Every structure is written in structure tokens, then in C-alpha cells.
Amino acid sequence: MKDRRLILAFSTLLALLDGCTTLEPWQRDVLARPEMSLDASPLDAGIDDHIYFSKEASSGGRGFGGGGCGCN
Amino acid sequence: MSDNDPSMAATLAAATCALLGAGNASAADDEGDRWSIDSALLYYGEADNRVQDISAAISATRDFDDERKLTLSLTVDTLTGASPSGAIALDRPQTFTSPSGNKTYVTAAGKIPLDDTFLDTRYAATASWTQPLARLYTFSAGLGFSTEYDYTHLGANFSLARDFNKRNTTLFAGVAWSQDDIDPVGGAPIPMSQMLDAGDQSHKLGSDSKTVLDLLVGITQVLGRNTVLRVNYSFSDASGYLNDPYKIVSVVDPLSGDTLLRSPPSGAGPTGVYLYESRPDSRLKHSVYAELKHSLGRPVLHVAYRFMTDDWGIDSHTADARLRWPIGAAYFVEPQLRYYTQNEADFYRSSLRADEPVPQYASADFRLGSFDAVTAGVKFGGTTSRGGEWSARLEYYMQSGDVPSDQIIGNQARREQYPDLNAVIVQFGYKFRM
């Protein structure tokens, strides 16, 4: 029962997203630009995560961290 | 197609790329350039002789046929400087036993105590492999390792992504696990035990460890020809030794708010009563992260927001915006602004009253306190004639917090409670293919 509900919710989500936008491959000129990638600067992101992890009580969210530390 | 019709050329290139199933356009440009190298040199410096960090990072990605790729990275960090110990300021100088347990250091009257005895070099390495599993599935696995004088980290992660709706929607799920071993200088102190005289190690245990399990699910959705959105939910379960072995809490007179004094009976030792902090041995965190990229013609706007909540009572909000603005054909400038705010952990205590029973958990670590932080900066970059890309980033990080008013006792009100943190971040980067 639970599985069926999950499948229903999942298909509804996909159907909604399908309705919102569907770009054809040849309409992806802008999104194909390197600076439009959500992971355009992984090294910058890693450095930022490491600094803020060391100085604040929150971390992560974007992806997996690149290594723990006993930061002071 | 004529050469002077760049939009048509770009459209066709994108279409070809999409038909070939190549996510990375530049990989297909030159079959000879299989490696992309990304490198960075970072200086992070806090004002008032606090932490200084020089770090070098390099990441190399090798593209194979059929969208398979291997990424290797290496980072070296060198840290020096001083960090707040958690003890409160007093109107008289204070002496502390250093973390190693065999020396002492003195903090001047009126100053928030900083432990300036730490110095560390950290090496971190990661490796990850990504490949398609079927037409619409992408699998990725990674390993991470880092080591420093008192800390070793070993981690592994796996993730799977599936594309839907002509690749306009991608669902992602991943799991990461890490095992960290902590071997503090002089041993890990027994939580809530008192700081002892130099040479007395009877309150120190050996090393300890913690494990962290992270789960992440996310969706990336194309919202239009110029806009893409990503939303992630992540769950993190940390258990084991979660204390900072070098942080202490002052025990104070319940009326004056001044630290209880003691005379070291023999030789050098602390001049006040300080207890080593104690945190719960488990922490569950939930966070929701959303980011959006939108092209405004050539400029690109990136905005991100994260909400985090955990069972230590900390909630935080992070908002980040950056605008990449091209200058001519080869350069760009990217101003950035980030705002962060968190409230204090349930067991955050700036000091402990001498007339109360010693609590099970208490920490005066300012990073578990209530504070706001702003980062403002700019990145400038450009491409070289050989196709490389360089960048320089300058940022200023400002953190200011306060101790909850119901925790301020007597004389503490007229002294500095919470040290502001101001840091400069300078980074140079260079990317190229070979």
C-alpha cells in the first residue's frame, strides 16, 4: 500500500515536471555553456565548504564533502 | 551555415553534443586533450593573529570513451595561529595548560583566551569514478582520505542519477560513509574533567573515533531555456566522539561571574577552574538546499539557499548570490555575497556557575553559539590564448555573535563576550586541458 502511494506520488511529481518545461536537445544552447553548469567550479565549492565547515555549525547540502578534519 | 552565425553554430554544437550523449562539450572538442586539470592556491587569514591557512589544491579529471571519467584530487593545508579556547575573559591575566599537557600559556587581562599552540598540516586525497549504467542512468563512486597530526579521515560514497523528460529532469540519490579517528595532542580529555597542572595527564584518555553516515536525494530540473534549478535534501547521522578536545568552559562565581581562581599547587598550571567540554555522542542533521542558475544573456546569475536543523537545537540559514559578468570576450568579473545565521546549541554555555551541578553536556565553542556571518567578495578571471582559464578571488568573511543575555552573569556584562571573526580569503586558480 505504502509502495503504491510512493509510486503514485513519484509519477505525479514527474508528470508535473514534464508539464513545466521540456527543452529539446537543440534548445540547449544556453544551458550547454560551461558557466551554466551547476558544478562549474568544483574546486571553489570544495574550498568554500572546507572553510565554512571549520567556522560554522552547518555543512554540506550541496553534495558530499571532500574529507573530514579536526578543524580548530 | 556561415561562420558569422555564432548562435546557429552554438545551437548545432549543443544539439550534436546532446545527440552524442556527451554532457561535457569540451571533451568532444579535442580528442587529444583527455585530462582537465584544475588547480588553486588559497590564503585564508584571520585578523588578530588568529588562524592563518595556506592551502594548495589540484584536481585532475581523465575523460574516457562513453562518458566514463576518473577524477583525482589532492589538497595540502598548512595551519598556524590561535583559536578561542572557550574560556571567558577576566580582569586579570589567566594561565592555562596547553593541549599537549606539558606547557602553559598566558592570556592578558581583558582578553578572550586564545590557544595559540596549534600548528598543523593536513593532506587530503580523493578519487572518484563516474560512468553511465544504462542509457539514462549515471553511477558514481568515490573514496576520500585525509590525515593531519591528530586526525585521520576515511570516506566512501556511491550515487546514482537518472534522467527523465528528455533529460530535463534528473533525480539523484547518494550515500556517503566516513570513519574518522581522533588522536588529540596529549590525549582526549575526559568530558567535563578539570584542566590540570602541566605534567599531570591523569584526566586524559587515548584516541577516539566517530562515524558519519550521509544520505542525499536531489532533483535537477530545467525550468526554461535559460534556467536550471537543483533541490537537495540531505540527512546526516554522526556518532562517536564529537567533542573538540581542545575546548574548555570556565567555572564562575554565581554572583560576580568571574572565573573561580585556583593556585597551581606545584609548578605551572591553570590559575582558574576550567572544564573540558562535553557534547552528545550523536548528532542528526537535516538540510534542504536549493540553487538556481539563470542566464541573463551573457551574464549568469547563481543563487543558493540552505536550511539546516539538527537535534542539538541548531537551526541555520545560508543564502548565497553571485553574478558572473563577462568583460569583452575573454574576461569576466563575478561579485559574490553570502549571508549565514545560526542560533546556539541547546548545550551552549558561555560559562558554568559554581553552585550548579556539573551538566552532562556543555560547550563554550563559539561555533556552537549564536552568530551571523557575511562574506563579500569578487572573483575575476579570463581565458588564455592557449585555452587555459585563470581566476583570482578576493573575499572578506565577517562573523559576529553574541552570548544569550540569560547566560551573562555579573561582571561578564562589561567585558567582551564573543570575539568577532574577520578573515580575508585570497585564491588563485588555473584550469587547463592536456
Side-chain angles (χ1 to χ4, degrees), chain A residues 10 14 17-18 21 23-24 26-31 33 35-40 43-44 48 50 52 54-62 64 67-72, chain B residues 11 44 46 77 83 122 146 148 151 153 165-168 171 174 219 223 225-226 230 232 246 283 285 293 297-298 306 316 338 340 342 367 375 379 393 397 399 427 431:
Chain A
F10 186 69
L14 287 181
L17 292 169
D18 194 32
T21 302
L23 289 191
E24 298 298 334
W26 57 88
Q27 295 175 309
R28 286 183 170 254
D29 52 338
V30 175
L31 295 177
R33 279 157 44 192
E35 68 269 25
M36 280 301 285
S37 159
L38 288 170
D39 301 303
L43 217 54
D44 283 15
D48 283 351
H50 188 61
Y52 298 128
S54 313
K55 297 292 151 190
E56 299 172 348
S58 313
S59 61
R62 188 191 340 236
F64 297 129
C69 82
C71 308
N72 290 284
Chain B
T11 308
Y44 168 89
E46 296 178 357
D77 272 315
S83 182
R122 172 178 175 267
S146 80
E148 55 199 289
Y151 204 94
H153 158 87
N165 301 337
K166 297 184 182 171
R167 298 189 193 267
N168 285 264
L171 292 181
I219 181 166
L223 293 182
R225 197 162 178 160
N226 300 311
R230 171 152 69 190
N232 287 344
Y246 309 122
R283 184 182 184 195
K285 293 193 292 184
K293 264 202 176 174
R298 287 183 65 213
R306 177 186 62 188
S316 78
R338 176 185 185 270
Y340 175 82
Q342 73 174 50
R367 294 170 298 182
T375 311
K379 182 176 174 179
R393 180 157 82 124
Y397 178 62
Q399 201 183 81
Q427 185 190 322
K431 272 190 218 183

Coordinates of all heavy atoms in Angstrom, one line a residue, chain A residues 10 14 17-18 21 23-24 26-31 33 35-40 43-44 48 50 52 54-62 64 67-72, chain B residues 11 44 46 77 83 122 146 148 151 153 165-168 171 174 219 223 225-226 230 232 246 283 285 293 297-298 306 316 338 340 342 367 375 379 393 397 399 427 431:
Chain A
F10 N 5.4 9.7 -6.9 CA 6.6 9.9 -7.7 C 6.2 10.1 -9.2 O 6.7 11.0 -9.8 CB 7.4 8.5 -7.6 CG 8.7 8.5 -8.3 CD1 9.7 9.3 -7.9 CD2 8.9 7.8 -9.5 CE1 11.0 9.3 -8.6 CE2 10.1 7.7 -10.1 CZ 11.1 8.5 -9.7
L14 N 6.8 13.6 -11.5 CA 7.4 13.5 -12.8 C 6.4 14.1 -13.9 O 6.9 14.9 -14.7 CB 7.8 12.1 -13.2 CG 9.0 11.6 -12.5 CD1 9.3 10.2 -13.0 CD2 10.2 12.4 -12.7
L17 N 6.5 17.9 -13.5 CA 7.7 18.4 -14.0 C 7.7 18.4 -15.5 O 8.2 19.3 -16.2 CB 8.9 17.7 -13.4 CG 9.1 17.9 -11.9 CD1 10.2 17.0 -11.4 CD2 9.6 19.4 -11.7
D18 N 7.2 17.3 -16.1 CA 7.1 17.1 -17.5 C 6.3 18.3 -18.1 O 6.6 18.8 -19.1 CB 6.4 15.8 -17.8 CG 6.6 15.4 -19.3 OD1 7.7 15.8 -19.8 OD2 5.7 14.7 -19.8
T21 N 8.4 22.1 -18.2 CA 9.3 22.5 -19.3 C 9.9 21.3 -19.9 O 10.3 20.4 -19.2 CB 10.5 23.4 -18.9 OG1 10.0 24.5 -18.2 CG2 11.4 23.8 -20.0
L23 N 12.7 21.0 -22.8 CA 13.5 21.5 -23.8 C 14.0 20.4 -24.7 O 14.3 19.3 -24.3 CB 14.8 22.2 -23.3 CG 14.7 23.5 -22.5 CD1 16.1 24.0 -22.3 CD2 13.8 24.5 -23.3
E24 N 14.0 20.6 -26.0 CA 14.5 19.6 -27.0 C 16.0 19.8 -27.0 O 16.5 20.9 -26.6 CB 13.9 19.9 -28.4 CG 12.4 19.7 -28.4 CD 11.9 18.3 -28.1 OE1 12.7 17.4 -28.3 OE2 10.8 18.2 -27.7
W26 N 18.2 20.5 -29.2 CA 18.7 21.6 -29.9 C 18.3 23.0 -29.3 O 18.7 24.0 -29.8 CB 18.2 21.6 -31.4 CG 16.7 21.5 -31.5 CD1 15.9 22.6 -31.6 CD2 15.9 20.3 -31.6 NE1 14.6 22.1 -31.7 CE2 14.6 20.7 -31.7 CE3 16.2 18.9 -31.6 CZ2 13.5 19.8 -31.8 CZ3 15.1 18.1 -31.7 CH2 13.8 18.5 -31.8
Q27 N 17.6 22.9 -28.2 CA 17.2 24.2 -27.5 C 18.2 24.4 -26.3 O 17.9 25.3 -25.5 CB 15.8 24.2 -27.0 CG 14.8 24.1 -28.1 CD 13.4 24.0 -27.6 OE1 13.1 23.1 -26.8 NE2 12.5 24.8 -28.0
R28 N 19.2 23.6 -26.2 CA 20.0 23.6 -25.0 C 21.3 24.5 -25.2 O 22.3 24.2 -24.5 CB 20.4 22.2 -24.6 CG 19.3 21.5 -24.0 CD 19.7 20.1 -23.5 NE 18.7 19.5 -22.7 CZ 18.8 19.3 -21.4 NH1 19.9 19.8 -20.7 NH2 17.9 18.8 -20.7
D29 N 21.3 25.4 -26.2 CA 22.5 26.1 -26.4 C 23.0 26.9 -25.2 O 24.1 26.9 -24.9 CB 22.3 27.1 -27.6 CG 21.0 27.9 -27.5 OD1 20.1 27.5 -26.7 OD2 20.9 29.0 -28.1
V30 N 22.0 27.5 -24.5 CA 22.4 28.4 -23.3 C 22.9 27.4 -22.2 O 23.9 27.6 -21.6 CB 21.3 29.3 -22.9 CG1 21.6 30.0 -21.6 CG2 20.9 30.3 -24.0
L31 N 22.1 26.4 -21.9 CA 22.4 25.5 -20.8 C 23.7 24.7 -21.0 O 24.3 24.2 -20.1 CB 21.2 24.6 -20.5 CG 19.9 25.2 -20.1 CD1 18.8 24.2 -19.9 CD2 20.1 26.0 -18.7
R33 N 26.4 26.0 -22.1 CA 27.6 26.8 -21.8 C 28.2 26.3 -20.5 O 27.5 26.1 -19.5 CB 27.2 28.3 -21.7 CG 27.1 28.9 -23.1 CD 26.2 30.2 -23.1 NE 26.4 31.1 -21.9 CZ 25.6 32.1 -21.6 NH1 24.6 32.3 -22.4 NH2 25.9 32.8 -20.6
E35 N 29.7 27.8 -18.0 CA 29.4 28.5 -16.8 C 27.9 28.3 -16.4 O 27.6 28.8 -15.3 CB 29.7 30.0 -17.0 CG 28.8 30.8 -18.0 CD 29.4 30.8 -19.4 OE1 30.1 29.9 -19.8 OE2 29.0 31.7 -20.2
M36 N 27.1 27.7 -17.2 CA 25.7 27.4 -16.8 C 25.6 26.1 -16.0 O 24.5 25.7 -15.6 CB 24.8 27.4 -18.0 CG 24.4 28.8 -18.5 SD 23.5 29.7 -17.2 CE 21.9 28.9 -17.2
S37 N 26.7 25.3 -16.0 CA 26.7 24.1 -15.3 C 26.6 24.3 -13.8 O 27.2 25.3 -13.3 CB 27.9 23.3 -15.6 OG 28.2 22.3 -14.5
L38 N 25.8 23.6 -13.1 CA 25.6 23.8 -11.6 C 26.9 23.4 -10.9 O 27.1 23.7 -9.7 CB 24.4 23.0 -11.1 CG 23.1 23.5 -11.4 CD1 22.0 22.6 -11.1 CD2 22.8 24.9 -10.8
D39 N 27.7 22.6 -11.5 CA 29.0 22.2 -10.9 C 30.2 22.8 -11.7 O 31.2 22.2 -11.9 CB 29.1 20.7 -10.9 CG 28.0 20.0 -10.1 OD1 27.8 20.4 -9.0 OD2 27.3 19.2 -10.7
A40 N 30.0 24.1 -12.0 CA 31.0 24.8 -12.9 C 32.4 25.0 -12.2 O 33.4 24.9 -12.8 CB 30.5 26.1 -13.4
L43 N 36.3 23.0 -7.5 CA 37.4 23.3 -6.6 C 37.0 24.5 -5.7 O 37.3 24.4 -4.4 CB 38.7 23.6 -7.4 CG 40.0 23.1 -6.8 CD1 40.0 21.6 -6.5 CD2 41.1 23.4 -7.8
D44 N 36.4 25.5 -6.2 CA 36.0 26.7 -5.4 C 35.0 26.2 -4.4 O 35.0 26.6 -3.2 CB 35.2 27.7 -6.3 CG 36.2 28.6 -7.1 OD1 37.4 28.2 -7.2 OD2 35.8 29.6 -7.6
D48 N 35.3 26.4 -0.3 CA 34.3 27.1 0.5 C 33.7 26.2 1.5 O 33.6 26.6 2.7 CB 33.2 27.6 -0.4 CG 33.6 28.9 -1.2 OD1 34.6 29.4 -0.9 OD2 32.8 29.3 -2.1
H50 N 35.1 23.7 2.9 CA 36.0 23.4 4.0 C 36.2 24.6 4.9 O 36.2 24.4 6.2 CB 37.4 23.1 3.3 CG 38.4 22.6 4.3 ND1 38.2 21.4 5.0 CD2 39.6 23.1 4.6 CE1 39.3 21.3 5.8 NE2 40.1 22.3 5.6
Y52 N 33.9 27.0 5.6 CA 32.7 27.2 6.4 C 32.4 26.0 7.3 O 31.9 26.2 8.4 CB 31.5 27.5 5.5 CG 31.7 28.7 4.6 CD1 31.5 28.7 3.3 CD2 32.0 29.9 5.3 CE1 31.7 29.9 2.5 CE2 32.2 31.1 4.5 CZ 32.0 31.1 3.2 OH 32.2 32.2 2.4
S54 N 34.7 24.6 8.9 CA 35.6 24.8 10.0 C 35.2 26.0 11.0 O 35.6 26.0 12.1 CB 37.0 25.2 9.5 OG 37.5 24.4 8.5
K55 N 34.3 26.8 10.5 CA 34.0 28.1 11.2 C 32.5 28.1 11.6 O 32.1 29.1 12.3 CB 34.3 29.3 10.4 CG 35.8 29.4 10.0 CD 36.6 29.7 11.3 CE 38.0 29.2 11.2 NZ 38.7 29.2 12.4
E56 N 31.7 27.2 11.1 CA 30.2 27.3 11.4 C 29.7 25.9 11.8 O 30.4 24.9 11.5 CB 29.5 27.8 10.1 CG 30.0 29.2 9.7 CD 29.4 29.7 8.3 OE1 28.9 28.9 7.6 OE2 29.6 30.9 8.0
A57 N 28.5 25.9 12.3 CA 28.0 24.6 12.8 C 27.3 23.8 11.7 O 26.8 22.7 11.9 CB 27.1 24.8 14.0
S58 N 27.2 24.4 10.5 CA 26.5 23.7 9.4 C 27.4 23.3 8.4 O 28.5 23.9 8.2 CB 25.4 24.6 8.8 OG 24.7 25.3 9.7
S59 N 27.1 22.2 7.6 CA 28.0 21.9 6.5 C 27.1 21.1 5.5 O 26.0 20.6 5.8 CB 29.1 21.1 7.0 OG 28.7 19.9 7.6
G60 N 27.7 20.9 4.3 CA 27.0 20.1 3.3 C 25.8 20.7 2.7 O 25.6 21.9 2.7
G61 N 25.0 19.8 2.1 CA 23.8 20.3 1.5 C 23.9 20.2 0.0 O 23.0 19.7 -0.7
R62 N 25.0 20.7 -0.5 CA 25.2 20.7 -2.0 C 25.6 19.3 -2.5 O 25.1 18.9 -3.5 CB 26.3 21.7 -2.3 CG 26.5 22.0 -3.8 CD 27.8 22.7 -4.1 NE 28.4 23.4 -2.9 CZ 28.6 24.7 -2.9 NH1 28.3 25.5 -3.9 NH2 29.2 25.2 -1.8
F64 N 28.5 15.7 -1.4 CA 29.3 15.1 -0.3 C 30.6 15.9 -0.1 O 31.2 16.4 -1.1 CB 29.6 13.7 -0.7 CG 28.4 12.8 -0.8 CD1 28.2 12.0 -1.9 CD2 27.4 12.8 0.2 CE1 27.0 11.3 -2.0 CE2 26.3 12.1 0.1 CZ 26.1 11.3 -1.0
G67 N 36.3 15.3 2.6 CA 37.2 14.8 3.6 C 37.0 15.6 4.9 O 36.8 16.8 4.9
G68 N 37.0 14.8 6.0 CA 36.8 15.5 7.3 C 38.0 16.2 7.8 O 39.1 16.1 7.2
C69 N 37.9 16.9 8.9 CA 39.1 17.5 9.5 C 38.7 17.8 11.0 O 37.6 18.0 11.3 CB 39.5 18.7 8.8 SG 38.6 20.2 9.2
G70 N 39.8 17.8 11.8 CA 39.6 18.2 13.2 C 39.9 19.7 13.3 O 40.7 20.1 14.1
C71 N 39.1 20.5 12.5 CA 39.5 21.9 12.4 C 39.3 22.7 13.7 O 38.3 22.5 14.4 CB 38.6 22.5 11.3 SG 38.6 21.6 9.8
N72 N 40.2 23.5 13.9 CA 40.1 24.4 15.1 C 39.5 25.7 14.7 O 40.0 26.7 14.9 CB 41.5 24.6 15.7 CG 42.0 23.3 16.3 OD1 41.6 22.9 17.4 ND2 42.9 22.6 15.6
Chain B
T11 N 24.0 26.4 -31.4 CA 22.8 25.5 -31.3 C 23.1 24.1 -31.9 O 22.8 23.1 -31.3 CB 21.6 26.1 -32.1 OG1 21.4 27.5 -31.6 CG2 20.3 25.4 -31.9
Y44 N 44.0 32.0 3.6 CA 42.9 32.3 4.5 C 43.6 32.9 5.7 O 44.4 32.2 6.4 CB 42.1 31.1 4.8 CG 41.1 31.3 5.9 CD1 39.8 31.7 5.6 CD2 41.4 31.0 7.2 CE1 38.9 31.9 6.7 CE2 40.5 31.2 8.3 CZ 39.3 31.7 8.0 OH 38.4 31.9 9.0
E46 N 42.9 35.1 9.4 CA 42.0 35.8 10.3 C 42.8 36.9 11.0 O 44.0 36.8 11.2 CB 41.6 34.8 11.4 CG 40.7 33.7 10.8 CD 40.3 32.6 11.8 OE1 40.6 32.7 13.0 OE2 39.5 31.7 11.4
D77 N 47.1 21.5 3.3 CA 46.7 22.7 4.1 C 47.8 22.9 5.2 O 48.2 21.9 5.8 CB 45.5 22.4 4.9 CG 44.2 22.7 4.2 OD1 44.1 23.7 3.6 OD2 43.3 21.8 4.3
S83 N 43.3 30.1 18.3 CA 41.8 29.8 18.2 C 41.2 30.0 19.6 O 41.8 29.6 20.6 CB 41.7 28.4 17.7 OG 40.4 28.1 17.5
R122 N 47.7 19.4 6.9 CA 46.7 18.4 6.5 C 46.8 18.0 5.1 O 47.0 18.9 4.2 CB 45.3 19.0 6.8 CG 44.1 18.1 6.3 CD 42.8 18.9 6.6 NE 41.6 18.2 6.0 CZ 41.1 18.5 4.9 NH1 41.6 19.4 4.1 NH2 40.0 17.8 4.4
S146 N 42.0 11.7 4.4 CA 42.7 12.9 4.8 C 43.4 12.6 6.1 O 43.0 11.8 6.9 CB 41.9 14.1 4.9 OG 41.2 14.2 6.1
E148 N 46.0 14.5 9.3 CA 46.7 15.6 9.9 C 47.2 15.0 11.2 O 47.0 13.9 11.6 CB 45.8 16.8 10.1 CG 44.5 16.5 10.9 CD 43.5 17.6 10.7 OE1 43.7 18.7 11.1 OE2 42.5 17.3 10.0
Y151 N 44.3 13.7 13.5 CA 43.0 13.4 12.9 C 43.2 12.6 11.6 O 44.1 13.0 10.7 CB 42.3 14.7 12.6 CG 40.8 14.5 12.5 CD1 40.0 14.8 13.6 CD2 40.2 14.2 11.3 CE1 38.6 14.7 13.5 CE2 38.8 14.1 11.2 CZ 38.0 14.3 12.4 OH 36.7 14.2 12.3
H153 N 40.9 10.7 8.4 CA 39.5 10.6 7.9 C 39.6 9.6 6.7 O 40.5 9.6 5.9 CB 39.0 11.9 7.4 CG 37.9 11.8 6.4 ND1 36.6 11.7 6.7 CD2 37.9 11.8 5.0 CE1 35.8 11.7 5.6 NE2 36.6 11.7 4.6
N165 N 12.2 12.9 -18.8 CA 11.7 14.1 -19.6 C 12.8 14.6 -20.6 O 13.1 15.8 -20.5 CB 11.2 15.2 -18.7 CG 10.2 14.8 -17.7 OD1 9.5 13.8 -18.0 ND2 10.0 15.5 -16.6
K166 N 13.3 13.8 -21.4 CA 14.3 14.2 -22.4 C 15.5 14.9 -21.7 O 15.9 15.9 -22.2 CB 13.7 15.1 -23.4 CG 12.6 14.5 -24.3 CD 12.1 15.4 -25.3 CE 11.0 14.7 -26.1 NZ 10.3 15.6 -27.0
R167 N 15.9 14.4 -20.6 CA 17.0 14.9 -19.8 C 16.7 16.3 -19.2 O 17.7 17.0 -19.0 CB 18.3 14.8 -20.6 CG 18.7 13.4 -21.0 CD 20.1 13.4 -21.5 NE 20.4 12.1 -22.2 CZ 21.0 11.1 -21.6 NH1 21.4 11.2 -20.4 NH2 21.3 10.0 -22.3
N168 N 15.5 16.7 -19.1 CA 15.2 17.9 -18.5 C 15.1 17.8 -17.0 O 15.0 18.8 -16.2 CB 13.9 18.5 -19.0 CG 14.1 19.1 -20.4 OD1 14.3 20.3 -20.6 ND2 14.0 18.2 -21.4
L171 N 17.0 12.9 -11.4 CA 16.8 12.5 -10.0 C 18.1 11.9 -9.5 O 18.8 11.2 -10.3 CB 15.7 11.6 -9.7 CG 14.3 12.1 -10.0 CD1 13.3 11.0 -9.7 CD2 14.0 13.3 -9.1
G174 N 22.2 9.4 -3.2 CA 23.6 9.0 -2.9 C 23.7 8.7 -1.4 O 22.9 9.2 -0.6
I219 N 17.0 16.7 -6.9 CA 16.4 16.8 -8.3 C 17.0 18.0 -9.0 O 17.2 19.0 -8.4 CB 14.9 16.8 -8.2 CG1 14.2 16.9 -9.6 CG2 14.4 18.0 -7.3 CD1 12.8 16.6 -9.6
L223 N 14.2 24.7 -16.0 CA 13.0 25.5 -15.9 C 12.7 26.3 -17.1 O 11.7 27.0 -17.2 CB 13.1 26.4 -14.7 CG 13.1 25.7 -13.3 CD1 13.1 26.8 -12.2 CD2 11.9 24.8 -13.1
R225 N 14.8 27.7 -21.1 CA 16.0 27.7 -22.0 C 17.2 28.3 -21.2 O 18.3 28.0 -21.5 CB 15.7 28.5 -23.3 CG 16.7 28.2 -24.3 CD 16.1 28.6 -25.7 NE 17.1 28.4 -26.7 CZ 16.7 28.3 -28.0 NH1 15.5 28.4 -28.4 NH2 17.7 28.1 -28.9
N226 N 16.9 29.2 -20.3 CA 17.9 30.0 -19.6 C 18.1 29.6 -18.1 O 18.8 30.3 -17.4 CB 17.6 31.5 -19.7 CG 17.6 31.9 -21.1 OD1 18.4 31.6 -21.9 ND2 16.5 32.7 -21.4
R230 N 18.2 23.2 -8.9 CA 18.5 22.0 -8.2 C 18.0 22.1 -6.8 O 18.2 23.1 -6.1 CB 20.0 21.7 -8.2 CG 20.4 20.5 -7.3 CD 21.7 19.8 -7.8 NE 22.9 20.7 -7.6 CZ 24.1 20.4 -8.1 NH1 24.2 19.3 -8.8 NH2 25.1 21.2 -7.9
N232 N 18.1 19.7 -3.1 CA 18.6 18.5 -2.4 C 18.0 18.5 -1.0 O 17.9 19.5 -0.4 CB 20.1 18.6 -2.2 CG 20.9 18.4 -3.5 OD1 20.3 17.9 -4.5 ND2 22.1 18.8 -3.5
Y246 N 40.1 20.3 22.5 CA 40.9 21.5 23.0 C 40.0 22.6 23.6 O 40.5 23.6 24.0 CB 41.7 22.0 21.8 CG 42.5 20.9 21.1 CD1 42.4 20.7 19.8 CD2 43.4 20.1 21.9 CE1 43.1 19.7 19.2 CE2 44.1 19.1 21.3 CZ 44.0 18.9 19.9 OH 44.7 17.9 19.3
R283 N 24.7 13.1 16.6 CA 24.1 14.3 16.1 C 23.4 13.9 14.8 O 24.0 13.3 13.9 CB 25.2 15.3 15.8 CG 24.7 16.6 15.3 CD 25.8 17.6 15.0 NE 25.3 18.9 14.7 CZ 26.0 19.9 14.1 NH1 27.3 19.6 13.8 NH2 25.5 21.0 13.8
K285 N 21.4 15.6 11.6 CA 21.2 16.9 10.9 C 20.3 16.6 9.6 O 20.4 15.6 9.0 CB 22.5 17.4 10.3 CG 23.5 17.8 11.4 CD 24.6 18.7 10.8 CE 25.5 17.9 9.8 NZ 26.6 18.7 9.3
K293 N 20.4 28.6 -11.4 CA 21.3 29.3 -12.3 C 20.4 29.9 -13.4 O 19.6 29.2 -14.0 CB 22.4 28.4 -12.9 CG 23.7 28.6 -12.1 CD 24.9 28.2 -12.9 CE 26.1 28.4 -12.0 NZ 27.3 28.0 -12.6
G297 N 21.2 36.7 -20.8 CA 22.0 37.0 -21.9 C 23.4 36.4 -21.6 O 23.4 35.2 -21.2
R298 N 24.4 37.1 -21.7 CA 25.8 36.6 -21.4 C 26.0 36.5 -19.9 O 26.6 35.5 -19.4 CB 26.9 37.3 -22.1 CG 26.9 37.0 -23.6 CD 28.0 37.7 -24.3 NE 29.3 37.3 -23.8 CZ 30.4 38.0 -23.7 NH1 30.4 39.3 -24.0 NH2 31.5 37.5 -23.3
R306 N 20.2 27.4 1.8 CA 20.2 26.2 2.6 C 19.6 26.4 3.9 O 19.9 27.4 4.6 CB 21.6 25.7 2.8 CG 21.7 24.4 3.6 CD 23.1 24.0 3.9 NE 23.8 25.0 4.7 CZ 25.1 25.0 4.9 NH1 25.9 24.1 4.4 NH2 25.7 26.0 5.6
S316 N 20.0 26.8 11.0 CA 20.8 27.8 10.3 C 20.2 28.0 9.0 O 19.5 27.2 8.4 CB 22.3 27.3 10.2 OG 22.4 26.4 9.1
R338 N 27.4 36.4 0.5 CA 26.8 35.3 1.2 C 26.4 35.7 2.6 O 27.1 36.5 3.3 CB 27.9 34.2 1.3 CG 27.5 32.9 2.2 CD 28.7 32.0 2.3 NE 28.4 30.7 2.9 CZ 28.4 30.5 4.2 NH1 28.8 31.5 5.1 NH2 28.1 29.3 4.7
Y340 N 25.0 34.2 6.4 CA 24.8 32.9 7.2 C 24.3 33.3 8.6 O 24.8 34.3 9.2 CB 26.1 32.2 7.3 CG 26.0 31.0 8.2 CD1 25.5 29.8 7.7 CD2 26.4 31.0 9.5 CE1 25.4 28.6 8.6 CE2 26.3 29.9 10.4 CZ 25.8 28.7 9.9 OH 25.7 27.6 10.7
Q342 N 23.0 31.4 12.5 CA 22.6 30.2 13.2 C 22.3 30.6 14.7 O 22.8 31.6 15.2 CB 23.8 29.2 13.2 CG 25.0 29.6 14.1 CD 26.0 28.5 14.1 OE1 26.4 27.9 13.1 NE2 26.5 28.1 15.4
R367 N 31.6 28.4 17.8 CA 30.9 27.8 16.6 C 29.6 27.1 16.9 O 28.9 26.9 15.9 CB 31.9 26.9 15.9 CG 33.1 27.6 15.3 CD 34.2 26.6 14.9 NE 34.6 25.7 16.0 CZ 35.6 24.8 15.9 NH1 36.1 24.6 14.7 NH2 36.0 24.1 16.9
T375 N 29.9 37.1 3.9 CA 31.1 37.0 3.1 C 30.8 37.9 1.9 O 29.7 37.8 1.2 CB 31.3 35.6 2.5 OG1 31.3 34.7 3.6 CG2 32.7 35.5 1.9
K379 N 35.3 37.7 -7.8 CA 36.2 36.8 -8.5 C 36.4 37.4 -9.9 O 35.5 38.0 -10.5 CB 35.6 35.4 -8.6 CG 36.5 34.4 -9.3 CD 35.7 33.0 -9.3 CE 36.5 32.0 -10.1 NZ 35.8 30.7 -10.0
R393 N 40.4 35.4 -6.7 CA 39.2 35.6 -5.9 C 39.7 36.3 -4.6 O 40.7 35.9 -4.0 CB 38.6 34.3 -5.6 CG 37.4 34.3 -4.8 CD 36.6 33.0 -5.1 NE 37.1 31.9 -4.3 CZ 36.4 31.1 -3.5 NH1 35.1 31.4 -3.3 NH2 36.9 30.1 -2.8
Y397 N 35.4 37.7 5.1 CA 34.4 37.0 5.9 C 34.3 37.6 7.2 O 35.4 37.8 7.9 CB 34.9 35.5 6.0 CG 34.0 34.6 6.8 CD1 32.7 34.4 6.5 CD2 34.5 34.0 8.0 CE1 31.9 33.5 7.2 CE2 33.7 33.2 8.8 CZ 32.4 32.9 8.4 OH 31.6 32.1 9.1
Q399 N 32.3 37.6 10.9 CA 31.4 36.8 11.8 C 31.2 37.6 13.1 O 32.2 38.0 13.7 CB 32.0 35.5 12.1 CG 31.1 34.4 12.5 CD 31.9 33.1 12.9 OE1 32.4 33.0 14.0 NE2 31.9 32.1 12.0
Q427 N 42.4 33.7 -3.3 CA 42.6 32.4 -4.1 C 42.9 32.7 -5.5 O 42.4 33.5 -6.2 CB 41.2 31.6 -4.0 CG 41.4 30.3 -4.6 CD 40.0 29.6 -4.8 OE1 39.1 29.7 -3.9 NE2 39.8 28.9 -5.8
K431 N 43.0 26.6 -14.7 CA 42.4 25.4 -15.3 C 43.0 25.2 -16.7 O 43.1 26.2 -17.4 CB 40.9 25.6 -15.5 CG 40.1 25.2 -14.3 CD 38.6 25.2 -14.8 CE 37.7 25.8 -13.7 NZ 36.3 25.8 -14.1

